[in-house]
Amino acid sequence: MTQNSRSYHLVRSGETNKLICSDNAAPKPDHHQVLIRMGAASLNYRDLLTRQDITSNRAGLIPLSDGAGTVVAVGSEVSQWKEGDRVSPNFFPNWHGGAFSLTYPAKALGGGQTDGVLSDYIVTEESSLVEVASHLTLAEAACLPCAGLTAWQALFERGGLKAGDTVLVQGTGGVALFGLQLATAYGARVIMISSSDAKLERARNFGAWQTINYRTQPEWDKVALDLTDGKEVDHILELGGPDTYNRSIAAIAAGGRIAQIGVLTGFALQPDILPLMFKNASINGICVGSVTHFERLNRYISDHQIHPVIEQVFGFDDVPEAYELLKSASHFGKIVIDLS
């Protein structure tokens, strides 16, 4: 019997895209594909940008890159997965391992020409999937593919994080809180900055070593210098963009690493990078990660029994409200859609 599959689509309406719900027959897996009954999906800042983009996305695109679900059918040549397995698709389905390629972004889930996961059923290549850690719910696992993996690559795959290092994290969104959780579990000291004292208090409850309110202490780079007894910080998760970059460069230690991740204050980056030379510091551009990275992240999360921080879970009918919460920037952690 053919299953029905609800899904949301982006349809142009004026200067933005409307979220339109439809009900269609569930797709069928090809020889090397897997059919997944999605249990949950989560939102990222990228999803706001995608919805606002009325020129780059295919008409009717299914949004969202991050989700987790259960295998319900496999193609004739599939050997790695079976019915009942709990899995999550990688953000870049064709980046299995090795060096990054500029061909990968065109296939990123939930943007451009490639449908995402905001649907009851999706099909994907078996090689793009990872197993969900046994201690996680599907809602928790749905938080990992973009935000969790980005923080993992920034700190471990590219950052070379060591126990005892000091990490400065900007904000309290998904990537930021994963950075806090992953780093503290490894024995690093984390400084969180935010404009909200209430959010900073919650961050301390999750292990933040120090916190800075950048509204009341706008020269947060100098505060970080004081907190580290003049040594500055070893790693920065740069999530702000133009408004924060020069302070990040000022706060980074000799030999330190800035992970360029976010563009919350825009795209026109024109920082003074000369101090990086005299500090022998570096900037690593971070764009999510590979299937191999994702597998290592899940093993780490399992070993340390880390649970993603979820702000709120919305039902399928309340997806527009979930987008509005994301847009408000009032959330602490991840926003999840329950598709079960």
Side-chain angles (χ1 to χ4, degrees), residues 1 37 100 146 149 160 168 175 190 198 213 217 228 242 297 316 320 326:
M1 183 176 68
R37 175 63 170 95
F100 183 73
C146 181
L149 188 51
L168 187 143
V175 176
V190 178
N213 186 317
Q217 296 177 294
T228 57
L297 166 63
F316 183 87
L326 180 65

Side-chain angles (χ1 to χ4, degrees), residues 147 180 258:
L180 170 62
I258 297 173

Side-chain angles (χ1 to χ4, degrees), residues 4-339:
N4 286 333
S5 180
R6 302 168 301 167
S7 57
Y8 277 92
H9 303 263
L10 297 180
V11 177
R12 181 171 177 175
S13 177
E15 296 303 312
T16 187
N17 287 303
K18 291 182 65 176
L19 287 162
I20 303 297
C21 183
S22 69
D23 195 348
N24 300 290
K28 294 182 179 180
D30 205 344
H31 298 299
H32 292 280
Q33 292 181 326
V34 173
L35 176 65
I36 304 166
R37 175 63 170 95
M38 299 303 294
S42 75
L43 279 72
N44 297 287
Y45 182 70
R46 169 188 184 249
D47 299 313
L48 289 180
L49 300 179
T50 300
R51 186 176 179 183
Q52 294 164 4
D53 187 347
I54 58 174
T55 60
S56 302
N57 299 310
R58 175 176 53 77
L61 179 80
I62 298 174
L64 305 194
S65 59
D66 291 18
T70 305
V71 175
V72 292
V74 299
S76 59
E77 301 297 322
V78 171
S79 59
Q80 187 175 356
W81 307 106
K82 64 183 185 305
E83 184 177 343
D85 286 343
R86 300 195 313 155
V87 295
S88 185
N90 197 50
F91 181 92
F92 294 117
N94 52 343
W95 188 10
H96 303 137
F100 183 73
S101 167
L102 292 177
T103 63
Y104 296 150
K107 295 292 185 181
L109 296 180
Q113 308 302 306
T114 306
D115 282 334
V117 300
L118 192 50
S119 182
D120 284 332
Y121 293 90
I122 68 167
V123 291
T124 187
E125 299 296 320
E126 66 168 328
S127 57
S128 72
L129 297 171
V130 301
E131 182 179 8
V132 169
S134 61
H135 75 290
L136 297 181
T137 66
L138 290 179
E140 291 173 325
C143 300
L144 295 174
C146 181
L149 188 51
T150 296
W152 171 261
Q153 190 191 172
L155 291 171
F156 292 89
E157 303 290 346
R158 300 280 298 285
L161 183 73
K162 303 185 299 296
D165 282 355
T166 303
V167 181
L168 187 143
V169 177
Q170 298 172 353
T172 54
V175 176
L177 288 178
F178 276 118
L180 170 62
Q181 292 178 287
L182 297 174
T184 55
Y186 203 65
R189 305 184 304 175
V190 178
I191 302 171
M192 303 286 288
I193 71 170
S194 170
S195 62
S196 167
D197 285 334
K199 289 182 178 180
L200 290 174
E201 177 62 32
R202 294 182 68 182
R204 285 191 287 271
N205 293 333
F206 281 95
W209 171 61
Q210 300 283 355
T211 59
I212 305 170
N213 186 317
Y214 65 80
R215 295 291 188 202
T216 59
Q217 296 177 294
E219 294 184 324
W220 51 263
D221 51 321
K222 295 180 180 178
V223 179
L225 182 66
D226 291 338
L227 291 174
T228 57
D229 297 324
K231 297 179 181 178
E232 301 176 318
V233 298
D234 303 297
H235 305 265
I236 295 178
L237 298 192
E238 171 51 63
L239 299 163
D243 291 357
T244 57
Y245 227 98
N246 282 324
R247 294 198 184 279
S248 289
I249 292 173
I252 198 67
R257 294 178 174 90
I258 297 173
Q260 168 53 40
I261 298 169
V263 290
L264 295 177
T265 63
F267 293 88
L269 297 181
Q270 293 181 324
D272 177 10
I273 62 172
L274 186 61
L276 290 175
M277 180 176 67
F278 295 106
K279 291 183 174 185
N280 279 288
S282 60
I283 297 174
N284 288 330
I286 303 297
C287 193
V288 201
S290 69
V291 174
T292 300
H293 295 155
F294 200 5
E295 290 170 341
R296 288 201 281 259
L297 166 63
N298 274 279
R299 285 196 294 270
Y300 184 87
I301 289 240
S302 180
D303 289 343
H304 293 275
Q305 293 291 287
I306 295 171
H307 290 270
V309 181
I310 295 175
E311 168 69 19
Q312 189 171 344
V313 179
F314 290 84
F316 183 87
D317 295 333
D318 300 320
V319 167
E321 287 79 3
Y323 270 82
E324 287 304 309
L325 176 57
L326 180 65
K327 185 178 179 180
S328 75
S330 62
H331 57 292
F332 181 91
K334 295 294 291 179
I335 299 167
V336 174
I337 309 300
D338 182 358
L339 296 171

